[in-house]
Amino acid sequence: MKFCSRNCLGRSFATTLAVASLPSQYASAFVPNHLMATSLSLVSATNSNSIGYRGGSSQVRNMSKMDQTFETWSFDEPCKTMSWTEISEASLSVAGLSDNWDDSDLVLIGVFAPKKEESDEDEDDKKEEEPTVEISGEAKAYDEKMGGALSNLMIENFKAFKNGASAGSVTPTLRVFADGKSQRIALVGLGTLDEEKDDFLEGVGSAVGKALATTCNSEKKAKTAKILLPEAVGSSADILKDMSTSFYSTLYADNRFRSEKSKETPAEDLESVTIVVEGSSADGADAALESGKKLAKGVHMTKDIVNAPHNVLNSLSLAETAKRIAEESDGTIKCEILGVKECEEFGMGAFLGVARASETPPQFIHLTYTPPDGVVKKKVGVVGKGLLFDTGGYNIKTAMMELMKFDCGGAAAVLGAARAIGQLKPEGVEVHICVAACENMINGKGVVPSDILTASNGKTIEVLNTDAEGRLTLADAIVYCDKEMGCSSIIELSTLTGACMVALGSGMSGVFTENDDLAKELEDCAKVTEEKAWRMPMEKSYNEQLKSKIADLKNIGGRYGGAITAGLFLQNFVDKKKPFAHIDIAGPVWDFNNGVATGYGAKLVTEWITRQGK
């Protein structure tokens, strides 16, 4: 029999005292398993009253159980699943005009501001506008029914509302009491009515959807709502789709890691919203609303992934998320996960080099979408950067490390898009979505500066900075889409460089491509989805910065133009004749003011994929 020395016994006893002073449900989180038995047996052999011990064997059982809000991990095991945020259960539907407005708790009236004459615009600098009101159609009839209350509301708030000149602006709520029932009424701006401009309705759907959700949330206890829209708005299926996507996306709230008392559910009492169209509504209006809701599910997924902390989201739980996306796609998406052995067989030395220091094994996620009818006109690849947490490796970060859970923003965007296309089922396109998932951590096996890695296309890479790791994982994912899957064009999204944020700020992504047609496609898609993107230069002379003295490439360039050299680096892993775009989303993926994910990229990728089949 072995006996502890006095020092060993003292340490065990000290540990026991510390544990005994903690609430029982937390004790096992602070004491290693091999000490727990020693500590507990020591307690039972001493005067339990002197250290506050109570409960005998039942206390022992309680001390080994963690009482968590989310049961996803233990001391020895990583999390293997990530919960999803459910979309709001409130329904959206379209209806024609009706005289009955009294059956809704909340009524919103959409109004256009009249077009200004040029002479009036010249006078703006000279004097303030006179409060005038112009309401027409059903809104005017409703105003007359209310004894001019709407007109008066517009006049009182003219300075801010200006007859609804800013799409999505909302007046204060007017409360009406009749027959023992309260009803709330507000006006929603639709922008300036200028039918001479082709784009005068641009952005109206998203703006109104956000305003609708925000108002429904602020007006507590409202179960039913109606919104009146003129025919110019309600007759467009695209506007209704955008409105639906924006409405449900705005109602997103991440309660997965809150206790019951602190959960917040936007518009929790809302059951239904009816869109009343003045005139003819769009063909397939309800289908458009449903499509918007499905797209919002993709945006939800993107936000969920980026918001999840690293002790919940790792390579295993992200792979499990991908499997669930495939399971809910009605067979249109198949999921394949490549482990270490398979990645080695494909020669993914760049990806595996980064992954060596991860707690969880690397998971190469490959989702394949095929349209239900099996008819494929084009095969495309979509790659997302899947760094679940980025410490910088041995070139450890000295600032903002707490934000580095968002370094999987590219993976989040493409998996969010995968969820959306699995529900929307676009025709004519086969899509290969790839994510090389791992973390950039530090241990005895981790890559160090000066290491040389070999990517799956045979190119060797001298690692001069371990914090430029994302491009290493992307290299093998791009080769896989290009060489193994034979995709005809490839786009890739990643939170790749701070340099792109320096250039463009946090409000837009940078698009790096040498293919003008692909650049135009992405520009048009970004305009439709209202996700700002800007084409950046691909200066070929900067390739000199990536030349290594002992390998084919270095993984970093010089101090300046870092976003460009990152894009040039990635071009080494795709056929030069193949359309390829790198999209740096480091800025817009995160709301730096509110500290939450924006969901950027899911709509952009979904729109691009949908267009490929057409």
Side-chain angles (χ1 to χ4, degrees), residues 398-432:
T398 57
M400 292 177 63
M401 195 190 291
E402 72 280 1
L403 293 180
M404 287 304 106
K405 67 178 184 177
F406 80 43
D407 212 19
C408 62
V414 303
L415 290 178
R419 189 183 189 195
I421 67 169
Q423 305 255 319
L424 294 169
K425 298 176 174 47
E427 298 178 353
V429 60
E430 180 180 311
V431 189
H432 294 273

PDB file of all heavy atoms in Angstrom, residues 398-432:
ATOM      1  N   THR A 398      -2.495  39.394 -29.478  1.00  0.00           N
ATOM      2  CA  THR A 398      -2.324  40.258 -28.301  1.00  0.00           C
ATOM      3  C   THR A 398      -3.539  41.141 -28.066  1.00  0.00           C
ATOM      4  O   THR A 398      -3.571  41.897 -27.096  1.00  0.00           O
ATOM      5  CB  THR A 398      -1.075  41.145 -28.466  1.00  0.00           C
ATOM      6  OG1 THR A 398      -1.211  41.917 -29.675  1.00  0.00           O
ATOM      7  CG2 THR A 398       0.186  40.300 -28.545  1.00  0.00           C
ATOM      8  N   ALA A 399      -4.538  41.074 -28.940  1.00  0.00           N
ATOM      9  CA  ALA A 399      -5.743  41.890 -28.768  1.00  0.00           C
ATOM     10  C   ALA A 399      -6.915  41.211 -29.448  1.00  0.00           C
ATOM     11  O   ALA A 399      -6.756  40.448 -30.397  1.00  0.00           O
ATOM     12  CB  ALA A 399      -5.534  43.287 -29.355  1.00  0.00           C
ATOM     13  N   MET A 400      -8.123  41.463 -28.937  1.00  0.00           N
ATOM     14  CA  MET A 400      -9.381  41.024 -29.546  1.00  0.00           C
ATOM     15  C   MET A 400      -9.539  39.506 -29.617  1.00  0.00           C
ATOM     16  O   MET A 400     -10.352  39.001 -30.387  1.00  0.00           O
ATOM     17  CB  MET A 400      -9.551  41.605 -30.948  1.00  0.00           C
ATOM     18  CG  MET A 400      -9.769  43.099 -30.990  1.00  0.00           C
ATOM     19  SD  MET A 400      -9.873  43.745 -32.656  1.00  0.00           S
ATOM     20  CE  MET A 400     -11.331  42.900 -33.274  1.00  0.00           C
ATOM     21  N   MET A 401      -8.791  38.760 -28.799  1.00  0.00           N
ATOM     22  CA  MET A 401      -8.917  37.309 -28.910  1.00  0.00           C
ATOM     23  C   MET A 401     -10.327  36.836 -28.549  1.00  0.00           C
ATOM     24  O   MET A 401     -10.801  35.824 -29.074  1.00  0.00           O
ATOM     25  CB  MET A 401      -7.891  36.601 -28.048  1.00  0.00           C
ATOM     26  CG  MET A 401      -7.754  35.119 -28.410  1.00  0.00           C
ATOM     27  SD  MET A 401      -6.769  34.141 -27.268  1.00  0.00           S
ATOM     28  CE  MET A 401      -5.141  34.790 -27.571  1.00  0.00           C
ATOM     29  N   GLU A 402     -11.002  37.586 -27.661  1.00  0.00           N
ATOM     30  CA  GLU A 402     -12.338  37.163 -27.256  1.00  0.00           C
ATOM     31  C   GLU A 402     -13.331  37.179 -28.415  1.00  0.00           C
ATOM     32  O   GLU A 402     -14.387  36.546 -28.341  1.00  0.00           O
ATOM     33  CB  GLU A 402     -12.858  38.054 -26.120  1.00  0.00           C
ATOM     34  CG  GLU A 402     -13.231  39.467 -26.520  1.00  0.00           C
ATOM     35  CD  GLU A 402     -12.043  40.417 -26.649  1.00  0.00           C
ATOM     36  OE1 GLU A 402     -10.897  39.959 -26.450  1.00  0.00           O
ATOM     37  OE2 GLU A 402     -12.264  41.608 -26.926  1.00  0.00           O
ATOM     38  N   LEU A 403     -13.002  37.867 -29.496  1.00  0.00           N
ATOM     39  CA  LEU A 403     -13.879  37.905 -30.664  1.00  0.00           C
ATOM     40  C   LEU A 403     -13.584  36.796 -31.666  1.00  0.00           C
ATOM     41  O   LEU A 403     -14.307  36.653 -32.655  1.00  0.00           O
ATOM     42  CB  LEU A 403     -13.755  39.263 -31.377  1.00  0.00           C
ATOM     43  CG  LEU A 403     -14.273  40.488 -30.625  1.00  0.00           C
ATOM     44  CD1 LEU A 403     -14.064  41.741 -31.465  1.00  0.00           C
ATOM     45  CD2 LEU A 403     -15.739  40.337 -30.272  1.00  0.00           C
ATOM     46  N   MET A 404     -12.545  36.023 -31.404  1.00  0.00           N
ATOM     47  CA  MET A 404     -12.092  35.091 -32.425  1.00  0.00           C
ATOM     48  C   MET A 404     -12.963  33.855 -32.589  1.00  0.00           C
ATOM     49  O   MET A 404     -12.664  32.967 -33.368  1.00  0.00           O
ATOM     50  CB  MET A 404     -10.648  34.693 -32.170  1.00  0.00           C
ATOM     51  CG  MET A 404      -9.669  35.809 -32.485  1.00  0.00           C
ATOM     52  SD  MET A 404      -9.821  36.419 -34.201  1.00  0.00           S
ATOM     53  CE  MET A 404     -10.635  37.993 -33.958  1.00  0.00           C
ATOM     54  N   LYS A 405     -14.080  33.803 -31.861  1.00  0.00           N
ATOM     55  CA  LYS A 405     -15.084  32.779 -32.183  1.00  0.00           C
ATOM     56  C   LYS A 405     -15.740  33.098 -33.520  1.00  0.00           C
ATOM     57  O   LYS A 405     -16.334  32.214 -34.151  1.00  0.00           O
ATOM     58  CB  LYS A 405     -16.130  32.676 -31.077  1.00  0.00           C
ATOM     59  CG  LYS A 405     -17.017  33.904 -30.915  1.00  0.00           C
ATOM     60  CD  LYS A 405     -18.058  33.694 -29.837  1.00  0.00           C
ATOM     61  CE  LYS A 405     -19.026  34.869 -29.733  1.00  0.00           C
ATOM     62  NZ  LYS A 405     -20.076  34.629 -28.726  1.00  0.00           N
ATOM     63  N   PHE A 406     -15.648  34.362 -33.979  1.00  0.00           N
ATOM     64  CA  PHE A 406     -16.273  34.694 -35.265  1.00  0.00           C
ATOM     65  C   PHE A 406     -15.372  34.347 -36.452  1.00  0.00           C
ATOM     66  O   PHE A 406     -15.726  34.613 -37.603  1.00  0.00           O
ATOM     67  CB  PHE A 406     -16.763  36.142 -35.314  1.00  0.00           C
ATOM     68  CG  PHE A 406     -15.748  37.227 -35.599  1.00  0.00           C
ATOM     69  CD1 PHE A 406     -14.768  37.107 -36.558  1.00  0.00           C
ATOM     70  CD2 PHE A 406     -15.816  38.432 -34.910  1.00  0.00           C
ATOM     71  CE1 PHE A 406     -13.874  38.122 -36.839  1.00  0.00           C
ATOM     72  CE2 PHE A 406     -14.929  39.467 -35.178  1.00  0.00           C
ATOM     73  CZ  PHE A 406     -13.948  39.300 -36.149  1.00  0.00           C
ATOM     74  N   ASP A 407     -14.223  33.694 -36.186  1.00  0.00           N
ATOM     75  CA  ASP A 407     -13.341  33.344 -37.298  1.00  0.00           C
ATOM     76  C   ASP A 407     -13.892  32.196 -38.137  1.00  0.00           C
ATOM     77  O   ASP A 407     -13.280  31.803 -39.118  1.00  0.00           O
ATOM     78  CB  ASP A 407     -11.947  32.996 -36.772  1.00  0.00           C
ATOM     79  CG  ASP A 407     -10.851  33.379 -37.750  1.00  0.00           C
ATOM     80  OD1 ASP A 407     -11.120  34.206 -38.631  1.00  0.00           O
ATOM     81  OD2 ASP A 407      -9.731  32.851 -37.641  1.00  0.00           O
ATOM     82  N   CYS A 408     -15.035  31.668 -37.737  1.00  0.00           N
ATOM     83  CA  CYS A 408     -15.717  30.660 -38.552  1.00  0.00           C
ATOM     84  C   CYS A 408     -16.843  31.304 -39.362  1.00  0.00           C
ATOM     85  O   CYS A 408     -17.738  30.603 -39.849  1.00  0.00           O
ATOM     86  CB  CYS A 408     -16.284  29.557 -37.668  1.00  0.00           C
ATOM     87  SG  CYS A 408     -17.520  30.148 -36.485  1.00  0.00           S
ATOM     88  N   GLY A 409     -16.808  32.636 -39.513  1.00  0.00           N
ATOM     89  CA  GLY A 409     -17.881  33.346 -40.214  1.00  0.00           C
ATOM     90  C   GLY A 409     -18.091  32.874 -41.641  1.00  0.00           C
ATOM     91  O   GLY A 409     -19.219  32.856 -42.142  1.00  0.00           O
ATOM     92  N   GLY A 410     -17.009  32.482 -42.331  1.00  0.00           N
ATOM     93  CA  GLY A 410     -17.160  31.969 -43.692  1.00  0.00           C
ATOM     94  C   GLY A 410     -17.894  30.642 -43.709  1.00  0.00           C
ATOM     95  O   GLY A 410     -18.800  30.425 -44.522  1.00  0.00           O
ATOM     96  N   ALA A 411     -17.506  29.743 -42.798  1.00  0.00           N
ATOM     97  CA  ALA A 411     -18.212  28.456 -42.682  1.00  0.00           C
ATOM     98  C   ALA A 411     -19.666  28.668 -42.318  1.00  0.00           C
ATOM     99  O   ALA A 411     -20.564  28.009 -42.849  1.00  0.00           O
ATOM    100  CB  ALA A 411     -17.521  27.585 -41.626  1.00  0.00           C
ATOM    101  N   ALA A 412     -19.908  29.619 -41.417  1.00  0.00           N
ATOM    102  CA  ALA A 412     -21.286  29.910 -41.002  1.00  0.00           C
ATOM    103  C   ALA A 412     -22.119  30.379 -42.185  1.00  0.00           C
ATOM    104  O   ALA A 412     -23.277  29.968 -42.354  1.00  0.00           O
ATOM    105  CB  ALA A 412     -21.279  30.969 -39.903  1.00  0.00           C
ATOM    106  N   ALA A 413     -21.548  31.244 -43.009  1.00  0.00           N
ATOM    107  CA  ALA A 413     -22.274  31.774 -44.164  1.00  0.00           C
ATOM    108  C   ALA A 413     -22.625  30.669 -45.157  1.00  0.00           C
ATOM    109  O   ALA A 413     -23.762  30.592 -45.647  1.00  0.00           O
ATOM    110  CB  ALA A 413     -21.455  32.865 -44.849  1.00  0.00           C
ATOM    111  N   VAL A 414     -21.666  29.789 -45.453  1.00  0.00           N
ATOM    112  CA  VAL A 414     -21.937  28.763 -46.470  1.00  0.00           C
ATOM    113  C   VAL A 414     -22.834  27.660 -45.915  1.00  0.00           C
ATOM    114  O   VAL A 414     -23.649  27.087 -46.662  1.00  0.00           O
ATOM    115  CB  VAL A 414     -20.624  28.180 -47.047  1.00  0.00           C
ATOM    116  CG1 VAL A 414     -19.771  29.297 -47.634  1.00  0.00           C
ATOM    117  CG2 VAL A 414     -19.837  27.384 -46.030  1.00  0.00           C
ATOM    118  N   LEU A 415     -22.746  27.362 -44.623  1.00  0.00           N
ATOM    119  CA  LEU A 415     -23.655  26.364 -44.045  1.00  0.00           C
ATOM    120  C   LEU A 415     -25.055  26.943 -43.878  1.00  0.00           C
ATOM    121  O   LEU A 415     -26.052  26.220 -44.016  1.00  0.00           O
ATOM    122  CB  LEU A 415     -23.109  25.870 -42.707  1.00  0.00           C
ATOM    123  CG  LEU A 415     -21.846  25.007 -42.791  1.00  0.00           C
ATOM    124  CD1 LEU A 415     -21.364  24.616 -41.395  1.00  0.00           C
ATOM    125  CD2 LEU A 415     -22.088  23.755 -43.634  1.00  0.00           C
ATOM    126  N   GLY A 416     -25.141  28.243 -43.577  1.00  0.00           N
ATOM    127  CA  GLY A 416     -26.448  28.893 -43.561  1.00  0.00           C
ATOM    128  C   GLY A 416     -27.086  28.846 -44.942  1.00  0.00           C
ATOM    129  O   GLY A 416     -28.290  28.574 -45.083  1.00  0.00           O
ATOM    130  N   ALA A 417     -26.272  29.100 -45.962  1.00  0.00           N
ATOM    131  CA  ALA A 417     -26.773  29.010 -47.339  1.00  0.00           C
ATOM    132  C   ALA A 417     -27.179  27.582 -47.669  1.00  0.00           C
ATOM    133  O   ALA A 417     -28.178  27.351 -48.366  1.00  0.00           O
ATOM    134  CB  ALA A 417     -25.707  29.499 -48.316  1.00  0.00           C
ATOM    135  N   ALA A 418     -26.410  26.609 -47.176  1.00  0.00           N
ATOM    136  CA  ALA A 418     -26.761  25.200 -47.420  1.00  0.00           C
ATOM    137  C   ALA A 418     -28.127  24.871 -46.840  1.00  0.00           C
ATOM    138  O   ALA A 418     -28.942  24.193 -47.472  1.00  0.00           O
ATOM    139  CB  ALA A 418     -25.695  24.288 -46.810  1.00  0.00           C
ATOM    140  N   ARG A 419     -28.379  25.368 -45.624  1.00  0.00           N
ATOM    141  CA  ARG A 419     -29.686  25.115 -45.023  1.00  0.00           C
ATOM    142  C   ARG A 419     -30.796  25.753 -45.860  1.00  0.00           C
ATOM    143  O   ARG A 419     -31.861  25.153 -46.061  1.00  0.00           O
ATOM    144  CB  ARG A 419     -29.723  25.664 -43.595  1.00  0.00           C
ATOM    145  CG  ARG A 419     -30.984  25.240 -42.861  1.00  0.00           C
ATOM    146  CD  ARG A 419     -31.100  25.825 -41.476  1.00  0.00           C
ATOM    147  NE  ARG A 419     -32.223  25.209 -40.770  1.00  0.00           N
ATOM    148  CZ  ARG A 419     -32.766  25.686 -39.665  1.00  0.00           C
ATOM    149  NH1 ARG A 419     -32.289  26.801 -39.111  1.00  0.00           N
ATOM    150  NH2 ARG A 419     -33.780  25.076 -39.095  1.00  0.00           N
ATOM    151  N   ALA A 420     -30.542  26.958 -46.353  1.00  0.00           N
ATOM    152  CA  ALA A 420     -31.550  27.660 -47.155  1.00  0.00           C
ATOM    153  C   ALA A 420     -31.810  26.947 -48.479  1.00  0.00           C
ATOM    154  O   ALA A 420     -32.965  26.732 -48.866  1.00  0.00           O
ATOM    155  CB  ALA A 420     -31.121  29.101 -47.401  1.00  0.00           C
ATOM    156  N   ILE A 421     -30.762  26.539 -49.185  1.00  0.00           N
ATOM    157  CA  ILE A 421     -30.981  25.902 -50.493  1.00  0.00           C
ATOM    158  C   ILE A 421     -31.583  24.508 -50.324  1.00  0.00           C
ATOM    159  O   ILE A 421     -32.306  24.031 -51.203  1.00  0.00           O
ATOM    160  CB  ILE A 421     -29.697  25.854 -51.354  1.00  0.00           C
ATOM    161  CG1 ILE A 421     -28.653  24.925 -50.735  1.00  0.00           C
ATOM    162  CG2 ILE A 421     -29.150  27.235 -51.595  1.00  0.00           C
ATOM    163  CD1 ILE A 421     -27.498  24.630 -51.660  1.00  0.00           C
ATOM    164  N   GLY A 422     -31.284  23.864 -49.189  1.00  0.00           N
ATOM    165  CA  GLY A 422     -31.924  22.579 -48.923  1.00  0.00           C
ATOM    166  C   GLY A 422     -33.419  22.708 -48.745  1.00  0.00           C
ATOM    167  O   GLY A 422     -34.169  21.749 -48.962  1.00  0.00           O
ATOM    168  N   GLN A 423     -33.875  23.908 -48.354  1.00  0.00           N
ATOM    169  CA  GLN A 423     -35.312  24.166 -48.189  1.00  0.00           C
ATOM    170  C   GLN A 423     -35.912  24.763 -49.468  1.00  0.00           C
ATOM    171  O   GLN A 423     -37.034  24.425 -49.853  1.00  0.00           O
ATOM    172  CB  GLN A 423     -35.513  25.153 -47.045  1.00  0.00           C
ATOM    173  CG  GLN A 423     -34.895  24.738 -45.720  1.00  0.00           C
ATOM    174  CD  GLN A 423     -35.916  24.254 -44.717  1.00  0.00           C
ATOM    175  OE1 GLN A 423     -36.977  24.827 -44.593  1.00  0.00           O
ATOM    176  NE2 GLN A 423     -35.588  23.195 -44.008  1.00  0.00           N
ATOM    177  N   LEU A 424     -35.152  25.647 -50.129  1.00  0.00           N
ATOM    178  CA  LEU A 424     -35.672  26.331 -51.324  1.00  0.00           C
ATOM    179  C   LEU A 424     -35.592  25.460 -52.568  1.00  0.00           C
ATOM    180  O   LEU A 424     -36.348  25.655 -53.512  1.00  0.00           O
ATOM    181  CB  LEU A 424     -34.891  27.635 -51.547  1.00  0.00           C
ATOM    182  CG  LEU A 424     -35.071  28.708 -50.479  1.00  0.00           C
ATOM    183  CD1 LEU A 424     -34.053  29.834 -50.672  1.00  0.00           C
ATOM    184  CD2 LEU A 424     -36.483  29.277 -50.502  1.00  0.00           C
ATOM    185  N   LYS A 425     -34.603  24.575 -52.621  1.00  0.00           N
ATOM    186  CA  LYS A 425     -34.431  23.610 -53.705  1.00  0.00           C
ATOM    187  C   LYS A 425     -34.347  24.269 -55.095  1.00  0.00           C
ATOM    188  O   LYS A 425     -35.190  24.007 -55.976  1.00  0.00           O
ATOM    189  CB  LYS A 425     -35.554  22.571 -53.664  1.00  0.00           C
ATOM    190  CG  LYS A 425     -35.557  21.767 -52.362  1.00  0.00           C
ATOM    191  CD  LYS A 425     -36.726  20.814 -52.285  1.00  0.00           C
ATOM    192  CE  LYS A 425     -36.652  19.922 -51.062  1.00  0.00           C
ATOM    193  NZ  LYS A 425     -36.356  20.610 -49.797  1.00  0.00           N
ATOM    194  N   PRO A 426     -33.335  25.102 -55.322  1.00  0.00           N
ATOM    195  CA  PRO A 426     -33.174  25.715 -56.648  1.00  0.00           C
ATOM    196  C   PRO A 426     -32.897  24.661 -57.713  1.00  0.00           C
ATOM    197  O   PRO A 426     -32.313  23.607 -57.436  1.00  0.00           O
ATOM    198  CB  PRO A 426     -31.974  26.642 -56.453  1.00  0.00           C
ATOM    199  CG  PRO A 426     -31.217  26.063 -55.296  1.00  0.00           C
ATOM    200  CD  PRO A 426     -32.262  25.490 -54.395  1.00  0.00           C
ATOM    201  N   GLU A 427     -33.295  24.964 -58.930  1.00  0.00           N
ATOM    202  CA  GLU A 427     -33.162  24.022 -60.032  1.00  0.00           C
ATOM    203  C   GLU A 427     -31.860  24.231 -60.799  1.00  0.00           C
ATOM    204  O   GLU A 427     -31.279  25.316 -60.798  1.00  0.00           O
ATOM    205  CB  GLU A 427     -34.347  24.171 -60.992  1.00  0.00           C
ATOM    206  CG  GLU A 427     -35.702  23.877 -60.362  1.00  0.00           C
ATOM    207  CD  GLU A 427     -36.852  24.090 -61.334  1.00  0.00           C
ATOM    208  OE1 GLU A 427     -36.603  24.590 -62.446  1.00  0.00           O
ATOM    209  OE2 GLU A 427     -38.001  23.761 -60.990  1.00  0.00           O
ATOM    210  N   GLY A 428     -31.421  23.163 -61.449  1.00  0.00           N
ATOM    211  CA  GLY A 428     -30.373  23.267 -62.450  1.00  0.00           C
ATOM    212  C   GLY A 428     -28.947  23.383 -61.965  1.00  0.00           C
ATOM    213  O   GLY A 428     -28.043  23.530 -62.778  1.00  0.00           O
ATOM    214  N   VAL A 429     -28.711  23.320 -60.671  1.00  0.00           N
ATOM    215  CA  VAL A 429     -27.348  23.524 -60.171  1.00  0.00           C
ATOM    216  C   VAL A 429     -26.980  22.454 -59.152  1.00  0.00           C
ATOM    217  O   VAL A 429     -27.771  22.093 -58.283  1.00  0.00           O
ATOM    218  CB  VAL A 429     -27.201  24.933 -59.548  1.00  0.00           C
ATOM    219  CG1 VAL A 429     -28.158  25.134 -58.380  1.00  0.00           C
ATOM    220  CG2 VAL A 429     -25.768  25.211 -59.126  1.00  0.00           C
ATOM    221  N   GLU A 430     -25.785  21.913 -59.295  1.00  0.00           N
ATOM    222  CA  GLU A 430     -25.199  21.014 -58.301  1.00  0.00           C
ATOM    223  C   GLU A 430     -24.163  21.817 -57.519  1.00  0.00           C
ATOM    224  O   GLU A 430     -23.330  22.504 -58.111  1.00  0.00           O
ATOM    225  CB  GLU A 430     -24.536  19.818 -58.979  1.00  0.00           C
ATOM    226  CG  GLU A 430     -23.890  18.835 -58.021  1.00  0.00           C
ATOM    227  CD  GLU A 430     -23.240  17.674 -58.743  1.00  0.00           C
ATOM    228  OE1 GLU A 430     -23.902  17.070 -59.615  1.00  0.00           O
ATOM    229  OE2 GLU A 430     -22.061  17.378 -58.449  1.00  0.00           O
ATOM    230  N   VAL A 431     -24.232  21.737 -56.210  1.00  0.00           N
ATOM    231  CA  VAL A 431     -23.374  22.568 -55.369  1.00  0.00           C
ATOM    232  C   VAL A 431     -22.552  21.701 -54.423  1.00  0.00           C
ATOM    233  O   VAL A 431     -23.097  20.805 -53.763  1.00  0.00           O
ATOM    234  CB  VAL A 431     -24.197  23.575 -54.524  1.00  0.00           C
ATOM    235  CG1 VAL A 431     -23.270  24.573 -53.838  1.00  0.00           C
ATOM    236  CG2 VAL A 431     -25.217  24.292 -55.377  1.00  0.00           C
ATOM    237  N   HIS A 432     -21.259  21.985 -54.370  1.00  0.00           N
ATOM    238  CA  HIS A 432     -20.369  21.322 -53.426  1.00  0.00           C
ATOM    239  C   HIS A 432     -19.898  22.358 -52.411  1.00  0.00           C
ATOM    240  O   HIS A 432     -19.197  23.318 -52.757  1.00  0.00           O
ATOM    241  CB  HIS A 432     -19.194  20.685 -54.158  1.00  0.00           C
ATOM    242  CG  HIS A 432     -19.608  19.567 -55.060  1.00  0.00           C
ATOM    243  ND1 HIS A 432     -19.733  18.263 -54.621  1.00  0.00           N
ATOM    244  CD2 HIS A 432     -19.983  19.574 -56.370  1.00  0.00           C
ATOM    245  CE1 HIS A 432     -20.149  17.504 -55.626  1.00  0.00           C
ATOM    246  NE2 HIS A 432     -20.303  18.275 -56.694  1.00  0.00           N
TER     247      HIS A 432
END
